Structure formats: C-alpha cells, structure tokens
Amino acid sequence: MDGPDQELLTIGAFAARARLSAKALRLYDRLGLLAPAHVDEATGYRYYRAGQVERARLVAMLRQLDMPLARIAEVVAAGDGPAAAGLLGAYWADVEARVAGQRTLAEYLRGRLSGRSSEMYGKFAVETVETPAQVVISEKRHTLADELPAWIGAALGRLEEAARECGGVAGVPYVAYHAEVSMESDGPAEACVPVADEAAARAWAERRGRAWETTVRVEPARRLAYTRITKAQVAHPQILAAFEAVEEWMAAEGLTATGPCRERYFGDWAATGPEDPVCDVAFPVS
C-alpha cells in the first residue's frame, strides 16, 4: 500500500523538503550516494520518494565532516542503528588522532619558526658510542610516514623471528633511513637485526629469495652520535626534534655523517610506558 513516504516528488520539491540544492542532489546521484527513485526516460526529470529525505540529510551532514565518499556509502548502507553509529565513531576517532598529530606538528613548527630551536634541542643529551662490526639481516621497503610505524613493528618482528635460525639476535635492532620518509617521500627505510651466525644468515636469505627485499650484510664498525628518547618521543613530530638535535650537536662538534641516520630500538615496546626510554636516534659519524 502506498503511504506518505512513497510519494514521488520532483527534484525541486524534494530539495526544498531535504533543505538541499538540486545541484547537491545531482552530485549525490553521480557519486552513487543517493539515486532518484525514478527518472523519466523521455524528459530525464528526476523524482524522489519522500522517504529518502532523511538519507539525503544524512549524506549532507556526513560530507560536512569531510568523510570520504567510500565511508559515507558504508555508513548509509548500514542504515540506522549501532552498526552505522560504530562506523561513524571509528571515522571520527581517526579524525581526532590526525588532528592531534597535526596540532603537535604545528606547535613544533611554531617553535622552529619563532627561533626556539635551541630551547627544543636542549632537551636532548647527545653522546657518542662505538659499535662493533656485525652481521645483520634486513628488510627494505619504500613507505610513506603514515604506514611507517606499522611496517617497523612488523618487519622487526619478522626479522627477530628469523634470527632464531641465524644464531640469535646479537645486537640492538634498528631502522636505517636511506632517504627521507614523509607523506611525500617514501624512503626507502631498512629494518635491520644483528645476528650471530653469518653462514646461517646467508642460508636463510637464500631460502627467502627476494621476498620483502631481504638481504644479509656485514655492517662495519661505526662511531654513532646519538640521543636517547622515550616511547612518547618516538611519535612524529617529536622524533624530528631528536634527529635535528643530534645534527645540531654534530655541526657544533665538527662531525660529519658517514651513513644513513637510524633509530635503534633497545626497549621492550609492549612492556614500556610513555616515559620509558626505548630508542636511540643516531647518526654514524667521523
């Protein structure tokens, strides 16, 4: 039986009821978010059912949240209820996390632009350490900054598991940056784990083939200039200040970088808190 929700409205009448423009409705149709209930084949006129008003308003409000079209489609398809609310909640949590990171980055940049660099860098104590030659197994990947943390955890986990076949872990795992990793530049970055048995490591790499761009090499003895940071400081952009503090110290000491900068992870990430030291930001120097 027909009811008020089944009433067919012209696009103008529907737009007025939904408090949207006809242009917006045509866009929603083109994007696959809200199709007319009927299109007259002869005239091309669009007609909507009165029951589509709430969906039209929902799409409009979700677009005001800058929600990507694919996610809007998911929310709309879920209908009213906990599933749709959960999808919206997950999206907004992502937004808040991104904004929090941008807020921190803006504060960091304000410090740099206002000439407070020395104040920021003064929080980091820089020292040098001699590291011996060591055999490392590694995994290299081109990755952007938003994918980097997940890749580091996964890659080091794979390599530490593989180290069991290579005489065990024989030093501090680290990630070397062969070029900048940002939202525009994808490195590459290289996860490395020192191991005890070179022959076993090369046999392991041979079995792996080219998977994950796995390699085995002997890392030469190096002198590292480094600063130790906490788990909280590993996050972007705090870690940028640590790298820049080491670079500033190197310049003051007349030292030159002789290899890619790196992050050396010596702490148990899962068992440590935000203020626990977990990582050295380091540059090979001479």
Side-chain angles (χ1 to χ4, degrees):
M1 173 181 281
D2 290 342
D5 283 353
Q6 301 302 309
E7 176 190 1
L8 282 178
L9 304 171
T10 65
I11 189 171
F14 183 79
R17 190 172 296 190
R19 298 191 294 275
L20 296 168
S21 68
K23 181 179 178 181
L25 292 173
R26 292 188 186 97
L27 175 64
Y28 297 170
D29 181 19
R30 188 165 66 250
L31 298 177
L33 299 176
L34 182 68
H38 174 70
V39 178
D40 188 292
E41 293 184 2
T43 64
Y45 290 167
R46 294 172 167 86
Y47 295 88
Y48 293 81
R49 298 198 186 280
Q52 292 179 281
V53 167
E54 286 306 313
R55 177 166 179 164
R57 291 176 179 171
L58 174 61
V59 170
M61 288 187 285
L62 291 174
R63 283 178 60 79
Q64 290 180 40
L65 294 177
D66 293 326
M67 182 179 283
L69 298 177
R71 297 187 77 162
I72 290 178
E74 290 177 2
V75 173
V76 170
D80 294 336
L87 290 169
L88 174 58
Y91 167 72
W92 195 246
D94 291 343
V95 171
E96 290 184 322
R98 183 178 71 251
V99 170
Q102 291 172 330
R103 185 183 302 113
T104 304
L105 178 58
E107 180 60 30
Y108 166 74
L109 291 173
R110 276 198 296 267
R112 287 187 59 179
L113 295 171
S114 64
R116 291 192 287 113
S117 295
S118 59
E119 176 186 324
M120 293 188 298
Y121 299 158
K123 298 184 295 185
F124 300 98
V126 182
E127 303 178 59
T128 60
V129 64
E130 303 292 336
T131 59
Q134 52 192 356
V135 177
V136 300
I137 55 175
S138 75
E139 182 179 311
K140 188 181 291 185
R141 179 171 172 178
H142 289 273
T143 178
L144 296 175
D146 59 341
E147 301 170 337
L148 182 64
W151 174 75
I152 288 176
L156 290 180
R158 284 189 291 267
L159 292 170
E160 288 173 0
E161 177 70 23
R164 298 178 182 179
E165 303 177 39
C166 309
V169 176
V172 178
Y174 63 93
V175 176
Y177 296 98
H178 296 275
E180 180 184 4
V181 174
S182 66
M183 291 308 296
E184 291 78 34
S185 178
D186 64 354
E190 183 183 20
C192 303
V193 172
V195 296
D197 189 331
E198 181 178 357
R202 295 196 181 281
W204 167 81
E206 184 69 24
R207 291 194 299 274
R208 292 273 292 180
R210 294 184 60 82
W212 303 104
E213 293 192 55
T214 301
T215 61
V216 175
R217 71 170 185 277
V218 177
E219 178 83 356
R222 295 186 183 276
R223 182 186 183 198
L224 299 179
Y226 74 97
T227 188
R228 184 151 292 182
I229 61 175
T230 65
K231 189 174 183 177
Q233 290 171 323
V234 170
H236 187 278
Q238 293 92 320
I239 198 166
L240 297 182
F243 276 108
E244 291 175 3
V246 177
E247 288 181 299
E248 184 178 76
W249 183 88
M250 288 163 51
E253 296 292 319
L255 297 173
T256 302
T258 59
C261 59
R262 58 200 61 199
E263 298 162 11
R264 306 173 76 235
Y265 291 97
F266 57 81
D268 183 341
W269 190 265
T272 51
E275 301 309 313
D276 294 324
V278 296
C279 175
D280 290 338
V281 166
F283 287 78
V285 295
S286 63

